[in-house]
Amino acid sequence: MKRKTNRRADAVLTEIVRNGVIAVTEEMKTNLMRTAYNMIVYEALDFTVGLYTAEGETISIGLGLPSFIRGMAETVKAKLAHFGKDTLEPGDILVTNDAYTTGSHLYHFTFSLPIFHSGKLTGFACCMAHWTDVGGVLGGVTTDIYSEGLQIPILKYQKAGVVNQDLVDIIRMNVRIPERAMGDLRAQITAVKTGERRFLELLDRYGRDEVLAAIGNIMDQSEAAARERTRTIPDGVYEAESFMDDDGVEIGKHVPIKVRVVKKADEMTIDLSQVAPQVRGFFNSGATTGYSCAQVAYKCLTSPTDYPINEGSFRPLKVILAPGTVVSAVKPAAMRWWMTFPMTVVDTVFKAMAQAIPDRSIAAHHADLLVCLINGVSPKDGRLYLAGIGPSGGGFGAKLTEDGMSATVCMNDGDTHNHPVEQMEAKYPMLFERHALREDSGGAGRYRGGLGTEQVVRARAPFNINIQVDRMHCPPWGLAGGRPGAGNQVALRIAGKEIDDLPNAKVLMKRLDRDDAITIRAGGGGGFGPPEERDPEAVAHDVRQGYVSPEIARDTYGVVLDPRTLAVDTAATARRRDGMKRK
């Protein structure tokens, strides 16, 4: 029988397509990891892949960086606007790393492949991945985009199946280790071609109109779920503020973060127009990242487990931005360290919403990747190498009913991992003396904040370091009487002398000689609820595990332990907590 192509997809086909598009993006992700050349892609997983409609709406993104949700969609739409549907043809692959289009930095190359089915533009496969180098300066703080590396406008990397060799040659000439850059480029092409092939198989098997109808169903269902959950939030206006330590140029000058959330019926408006103006340092990000901040917060609050991540989930959300803020920067703002400030913007949205929905909110987290960039000349072969320590796991905030997670990568970077110690030591002249949980870093509370980590990395041969960590002076706050977690911290050991009194946690282009070391301490999460209400047995367990010191147990939690067995002294604990209440 001839298949009808104009019918709506039924519930069974909708679920098949739902799982099908997730499988497509997961295979794209796997093939990118298997073929990439740099550890930041195949180990740290600093990338995201996705499928998009012919209009650039998100169908599914592979589990990866939440902060790329909007950036990739807006990049696809920008490419559509630039070329127009009529000038796209099978075999085209579009590329850009423009920071103001992607919202991030020049290290993010984004390749998009238009998918044609029976001659019709039906969607896009897209891959955004972090390159280790795109030229520009290696160290210090940049203050405009022009010093940060090669800028590629929206171009066709490939036209009708023919690669633009001139573009490839330009890229090759502007990167320091071209064989690795070209390897990652080819890996990204593999990823988008995987997406094209598997999506076309889905279309061929079930029919173009049926699959697109099923995608429409999925988006409508995601929208309905988000609206239903939004309605459970009390109507009102909720505000909160925090700050960043500084922009790396004006040391000690705090950068204010202010958010305003308006909830009415089944819609939410997140107003980021009062976030600080763009700064001289390189901590700015583009408007698409401002939208991503709002989307990450909104999805966590309304539909965190609704998959695939798609456009429908965000239809009830309105975002207000003003041009020229740190999350909506305009040219020529420097963007190299774009990812740090947005994490605190999301934290601050949760802080605002704790007034309305404490059961769905979370205390602040360490909110930084804590990446230390390294460059040097390898003593093995005399060649330049570029590497990075991290991302380092820190503490997440506690919630109304549970402790925060420990040693977890910051929120906006989702599924990124740290570089394995064994690989780092094998490839580069460094030794990890210590990688451990950081005692007493979790904020005290009825529920304790997660613990940060401490890494001590010693140079086995001279190399240069650059580390740009924030939230040292704005530690992760607690909620409902919970205490703040420890802030992020950086220390050095130079010629045997410990230096831990740095004015901030930013160290620019510092040379470490043999046996010098850097210590990176990730902050802990904030606590939730008064510490003296924590179960004494839970406190005793934390002490036995080394999470909390006996002194903090006594002085902050009011729990007295037997010094030999570390068992709770019930009578002494009751007296101490009673005395704490009277103060």
Side-chain angles (χ1 to χ4, degrees), residues 165-185:
Q165 190 60 43
D166 291 341
L167 174 60
V168 173
D169 291 342
I170 289 170
I171 295 172
R172 186 189 299 274
M173 181 171 280
N174 280 274
V175 295
R176 294 177 174 86
I177 309 176
E179 64 273 19
R180 289 192 168 272
M182 294 300 103
D184 284 348
L185 185 155

Side-chain angles (χ1 to χ4, degrees), residues 26 50 76 78 99 107 112 149 152 166 201 281 348 388 395 403 433 525 532 566:
E26 287 304 297
V76 172
Y107 295 89
S112 306
I152 304 295
D166 291 341
E201 289 175 1
T348 310
D403 292 344
E433 294 182 350
E532 61 272 17
L566 297 181

Side-chain angles (χ1 to χ4, degrees), residues 36-365:
Y37 276 51
N38 282 291
M39 287 175 63
I40 196 164
V41 177
Y42 66 77
E43 288 288 359
L45 312 188
D46 192 347
F47 65 84
T48 302
V49 296
L51 288 176
Y52 298 83
T53 67
E55 289 71 39
E57 292 187 321
T58 305
I59 297 172
S60 171
I61 65 168
L63 299 183
L65 277 69
S67 51
F68 283 0
I69 291 174
R70 185 73 179 210
M72 286 213 301
E74 291 303 311
T75 301
V76 172
K77 291 174 184 175
K79 290 171 178 176
L80 266 172
H82 180 80
F83 287 111
K85 288 186 178 181
D86 294 340
T87 67
L88 298 179
E89 54 189 323
D92 284 355
I93 299 179
L94 318 178
V95 64
T96 188
N97 74 332
D98 176 54
Y100 307 98
T101 299
T102 66
S104 57
H105 52 192
L106 300 178
Y107 295 89
H108 285 154
F109 268 67
T110 305
F111 291 86
S112 306
L113 188 156
I115 300 173
F116 286 84
H117 184 267
S118 299
K120 294 181 180 180
L121 178 63
T122 305
F124 288 86
C126 190
C127 175
M128 177 188 284
H130 185 118
W131 286 26
T132 301
D133 174 49
V134 290
V137 300
L138 279 178
V141 175
T142 48
T143 55
D144 65 47
I145 195 69
Y146 303 105
S147 58
E148 295 188 336
L150 177 66
Q151 298 182 67
I152 304 295
I154 295 173
L155 296 173
K156 288 190 177 183
Y157 162 79
Q158 182 173 293
K159 179 177 173 60
V162 179
V163 172
N164 183 345
Q165 190 60 43
D166 291 341
L167 174 60
V168 173
D169 291 342
I170 289 170
I171 295 172
R172 186 189 299 274
M173 181 171 280
N174 280 274
V175 295
R176 294 177 174 86
I177 309 176
E179 64 273 19
R180 289 192 168 272
M182 294 300 103
D184 284 348
L185 185 155
R186 292 190 297 270
Q188 288 190 258
I189 300 304
T190 296
V192 295
K193 286 186 175 181
T194 299
E196 176 192 37
R197 183 174 68 256
R198 294 306 193 196
F199 191 56
L200 285 175
E201 289 175 1
L202 198 64
L203 296 170
D204 288 339
R205 183 169 185 178
Y206 297 106
R208 178 180 185 274
D209 290 346
E210 287 85 351
V211 169
L212 295 183
I215 289 169
N217 289 348
I218 293 166
M219 290 187 182
D220 290 345
Q221 291 165 2
S222 294
E223 177 185 3
R227 288 190 184 278
E228 182 178 358
R229 199 79 191 279
T230 303
R231 277 193 290 268
T232 66
I233 301 172
D235 286 357
V237 178
Y238 308 100
E239 298 179 318
E241 56 184 280
S242 59
F243 66 89
M244 309 305 297
D245 294 347
D246 56 54
D247 69 348
V249 176
E250 298 182 76
I251 306 302
K253 182 180 178 181
H254 292 167
V255 181
I257 304 293
K258 298 180 180 180
V259 305
R260 183 172 185 265
V261 181
V262 180
K263 158 57 179 58
K264 185 175 181 181
D266 62 355
E267 295 187 343
M268 180 181 288
T269 300
I270 297 181
D271 185 350
L272 303 180
S273 61
Q274 297 304 306
V275 171
Q278 63 191 56
V279 293
R280 287 180 60 205
F282 54 21
F283 289 94
N284 303 291
S285 54
T288 53
T289 296
Y291 284 108
S292 286
C293 291
Q295 288 186 337
V296 169
Y298 180 72
K299 185 156 182 64
C300 287
L301 293 169
T302 59
S303 54
T305 58
D306 181 33
Y307 295 111
I309 298 170
N310 65 79
E311 203 76 21
S313 297
F314 307 111
R315 289 174 183 165
L317 174 66
K318 179 183 178 183
V319 183
I320 299 176
L321 294 173
T325 74
V326 290
V327 291
S328 57
V330 296
K331 208 165 188 175
M335 310 269 277
R336 193 174 178 206
W337 226 249
W338 71 283
M339 63 283 190
T340 299
F341 286 14
M343 303 173 201
T344 296
V345 173
V346 175
D347 254 1
T348 310
V349 173
F350 293 150
K351 184 180 183 181
M353 296 311 296
Q355 306 165 49
I357 44 173
D359 58 319
R360 272 184 257 170
S361 295
I362 185 171
H365 76 312

Side-chain angles (χ1 to χ4, degrees), residues 531-532 534 536 557-559 573-581:
E532 61 272 17
R534 185 166 177 79
Y557 288 98
V559 174
T573 294
R575 290 193 299 271
R576 180 153 188 84
R577 285 188 164 183
D578 187 56
M580 291 170 69
K581 290 178 183 178

Side-chain angles (χ1 to χ4, degrees), residues 78 202 240 275 306 315 322 368 380 408 430 432 497 508 533:
L202 198 64
V275 171
D306 181 33
R315 289 174 183 165
D368 201 294
K380 292 181 180 179
T408 303
M430 61 183 68
F432 284 72
K497 180 182 178 183
L508 305 175
E533 294 181 6

